[in-house]
Amino acid sequence: MEKKRTNFDYKKHLSSWESLVTSYEQTRAGFISLALEKNRKATPFVEEAKALKSIASTIESPIELINITQIKSALLTASGVSDKAKKYLTENDKNEAIKRLIENFLEPAAKDFVDELGYRFLLTRGDSLGGIIRNLGGVLGERKMTRMLIATLSIQGISYCYLHSKSKEWIVGSQDDADVEIFLKGLSWNKSNQARTLIYNLTVPIVKKNVDLCLLDAKPEQFMRRNNKNSCHYFPSNYIALEELKGGIDPAGADEHWKTANSALNRIKKAFLSNDLHPKTFFIGAAIEKAMAKEIFNQLDAKHLSNAANLTDDNQLISLCEWLINL
């Protein structure tokens, strides 16, 4: 018979509030991982700049760029026009932007106009990259959580299926699924003949806000997007647990991230309480400082929070995954 779970399962991996605090070594490793991922994300933009410079180097003067139609989009980017802004410009507007780029920046650069073009292209692309990486910590945190959850299911011999973000189909999981966490938006498994479905970044109707992770008492086929009111997530009683995840590693933003997460968790509890429901709530964070660690642990002891873990500590994350699988 399976051992009954208790309200104090967090004590399996947290002996005190100090257990939650992110160490210097973990912070350093987190920054390095973030830097590597930023560079990986930047690679396509660098390659685009190389291709643009190669084409531009075939002409003798900047004004000839106007005649190379295949790089018009790239020239607009170099002009400072974002991909979003391009949708709102007429062809005359676009031509004028390119003309000003040539007159004000490329022609004054003389023989170095190709390099100048590459620099200005990358400046605008850098803004785009900034938007992509702004929540990179959260994305990496979600992927780590996913990979650890899949590993825990596999070790326990529990089969699972996952929701593919592009095809919107549930796919049977296997050990051959390399990088599955990149395009996974949901997980589902059966434990003790009970179906469990986990959905990421779900707008919970009763809360009217996006929640990072929701565990539902439902089969995968019962979850339907596109505002289908028959979907399992429209029924408050189906919610077993809800989570806030903060993957940012910068200690300077740790306290603010916790305040945001704590506010969200309180909002979740209040919304479900209005329906006399008490789903479990838990928190996972990468950057956890002393003051917030004490507050989180106090909430755990008071049963206001059901569980918590430091994202940078594999043992804590595995223990929390075990807890989640057994709910």
Side-chain angles (χ1 to χ4, degrees):
M1 182 179 294
E2 186 175 325
K3 184 179 178 181
K4 185 178 180 180
R5 309 295 286 184
T6 74
N7 288 325
F8 299 98
D9 287 313
Y10 65 89
K11 289 189 174 179
K12 180 181 177 181
H13 57 271
L14 300 176
S15 57
S16 66
W17 65 265
E18 286 97 337
S19 306
L20 278 167
V21 178
T22 307
S23 69
Y24 167 77
E25 290 76 18
Q26 291 167 330
T27 300
R28 181 182 61 186
F31 272 124
I32 291 172
S33 295
L34 197 60
L36 291 172
E37 184 64 14
K38 285 180 180 178
N39 272 294
R40 191 183 72 81
K41 291 285 188 182
T43 298
F45 299 147
V46 173
E47 296 304 315
E48 286 178 357
K50 289 179 181 178
L52 175 61
K53 288 179 65 177
S54 177
I55 294 172
S57 65
T58 62
I59 60 175
E60 295 183 0
S61 64
I63 196 64
E64 295 178 56
L65 290 168
I66 295 176
N67 300 321
I68 310 178
T69 57
Q70 64 265 37
I71 62 169
K72 185 173 183 177
S73 179
L75 291 175
L76 279 170
T77 299
S79 303
V81 180
S82 67
D83 290 339
K84 183 178 181 180
K86 290 174 186 177
K87 300 175 184 178
Y88 298 92
L89 300 181
T90 65
E91 285 304 310
N92 286 336
D93 293 332
K94 294 175 182 179
N95 292 334
E96 183 62 25
I98 294 171
K99 183 179 178 181
R100 290 185 180 183
L101 166 70
I102 293 170
E103 292 177 350
N104 297 330
F105 301 105
L106 301 187
E107 288 183 341
K111 62 182 180 62
D112 296 321
F113 79 89
V114 173
D115 287 334
E116 185 71 18
L117 176 63
Y119 299 148
R120 295 197 172 274
F121 175 85
L122 286 173
L123 277 173
T124 304
R125 274 292 188 239
D127 285 341
S128 300
L129 181 61
I132 293 172
I133 67 176
R134 194 162 291 123
N135 191 38
L136 189 55
V139 172
L140 293 179
E142 187 179 284
R143 289 178 184 175
K144 182 173 182 180
M145 169 69 182
T146 300
R147 178 48 65 187
M148 200 65 78
L149 187 55
I150 288 175
T152 306
L153 286 167
S154 297
I155 289 297
Q156 293 187 19
I158 301 173
S159 58
Y160 65 90
C161 59
Y162 63 88
L163 179 61
H164 197 287
S165 60
K166 292 186 178 180
S167 70
K168 312 300 181 186
E169 298 288 335
W170 286 95
I171 300 171
V172 176
S174 72
Q175 292 183 338
D176 298 328
D177 294 324
D179 298 326
V180 64
E181 64 272 19
I182 294 175
F183 45 79
L184 179 150
K185 289 300 177 184
L187 267 175
S188 188
W189 64 88
N190 280 278
K191 183 69 184 252
S192 303
N193 294 320
Q194 292 180 313
R196 293 291 182 260
T197 297
L198 191 72
I199 303 296
Y200 293 83
N201 300 309
L202 177 67
T203 297
V204 180
I206 193 174
V207 181
K208 299 178 182 178
K209 294 287 184 179
N210 182 276
V211 178
D212 293 336
L213 188 152
C214 298
L215 180 65
L216 298 162
D217 179 12
K219 298 177 181 179
E221 59 268 23
Q222 291 176 293
F223 175 72
M224 295 161 278
R225 289 185 178 272
R226 297 183 180 178
N227 300 318
N228 190 320
K229 297 297 178 67
N230 293 317
S231 177
C232 57
H233 72 287
Y234 274 92
F235 301 90
S237 59
N238 283 333
Y239 288 82
I240 298 173
L242 302 97
E243 175 238 34
E244 282 292 307
L245 185 150
K246 297 297 179 183
I249 195 64
D250 190 350
D255 187 58
E256 194 61 36
H257 285 161
W258 163 242
K259 287 180 180 178
T260 302
N262 192 34
S263 176
L265 291 168
N266 286 330
R267 184 168 56 245
I268 290 167
K269 292 177 74 70
K270 184 178 180 180
F272 279 92
L273 188 60
S274 66
N275 279 247
D276 198 27
L277 294 170
H278 306 273
K280 298 183 184 298
T281 56
F282 60 107
F283 172 75
I284 299 175
I288 301 180
E289 297 295 286
K290 291 181 179 180
M292 60 184 287
K294 291 178 182 178
E295 186 176 343
I296 292 168
F297 201 79
N298 286 339
Q299 287 197 25
L300 289 169
D301 275 346
K303 301 181 184 178
H304 185 69
L305 194 62
S306 304
N307 214 326
N310 190 308
L311 184 67
T312 66
D313 188 310
D314 288 350
N315 290 327
Q316 290 186 27
L317 206 53
I318 292 169
S319 177
L320 189 140
C321 286
E322 290 178 326
W323 169 79
L324 194 63
I325 290 169
N326 284 289
L327 287 178

